[in-house]
Amino acid sequence: MKIRTGFGYDVHQLKEGLPFWLGGIQVPHTHGALGHSDADVLIHVICDALLGAANLRDIGFHFPDTDPQYKGIDSKRLLAEVVRLLTERGYSISNIDSTICLEAPKVNPHIPQMQRVLAEVMGIAENDISIKATTTEKLGFVGRREGVAAYASVLIMGS
């Protein structure tokens, strides 16, 4: 059995009045992430980590922001396609560990719902998806509430 790891990192600017999609759910907040798709930073880092683990390049390669078909797309659809690509190549997801860096809103109350949604999209157990949240103690663009950042590491298995 072949075991591979992958890592993802992404940032999005926060803008007033936009919906805030995070982990496949809309989180109530005055600001949302700006991006070509729905700008779900957590799903984007998971996609990148999974693609990287399978040596399939990155999310921008598969879903370029220059392609109008991805304008405003629900990132859960991108994640489902990434999982399909992995499955097609004989890989399965073992686990995901992720961290969201954000000053506000508080993410912890939403983590169980995010785990449920992501598990359903990927066809894995909720217990195989770790989502953590932290602030940057008011430092940098995250601390100034100008943006959101996220990291993910994944373990995939194949034959």
Side-chain angles (χ1 to χ4, degrees), residues 8-26:
Y9 169 74
D10 196 18
V11 299
H12 282 280
Q13 187 178 12
L14 293 175
K15 288 287 188 182
E16 189 172 1
L18 293 177
F20 191 30
W21 288 95
L22 191 61
I25 67 169
Q26 190 170 352

Side-chain angles (χ1 to χ4, degrees), residues 73-125:
I73 195 168
D74 182 339
S75 291
K76 291 186 295 291
R77 291 180 55 198
L78 306 179
L79 180 57
E81 176 62 13
V82 167
V83 172
R84 187 193 68 74
L85 290 169
L86 264 64
T87 302
E88 189 176 83
R89 285 160 179 80
Y91 292 108
S92 63
I93 301 167
S94 177
N95 74 297
I96 296 167
D97 182 29
S98 62
T99 302
I100 302 162
C101 301
L102 183 67
E103 291 293 324
K106 292 296 181 194
V107 173
N108 280 318
H110 305 285
I111 288 175
Q113 185 181 3
M114 290 179 197
Q115 288 172 307
R116 279 191 298 277
V117 168
L118 294 173
E120 184 177 319
V121 171
M122 292 185 282
I124 64 175

Side-chain angles (χ1 to χ4, degrees), residues 4 21 23-24 30-31 45 49 56 62 66 68 73 76 81-82 89 111 117 122 137-138 146 152:
R4 299 179 67 119
W21 288 95
T30 58
H31 290 66
V45 297
L56 293 173
H62 291 275
T66 55
I73 195 168
K76 291 186 295 291
E81 176 62 13
V82 167
R89 285 160 179 80
I111 288 175
V117 168
M122 292 185 282
E137 302 295 331
K138 299 188 176 18
E146 297 169 355

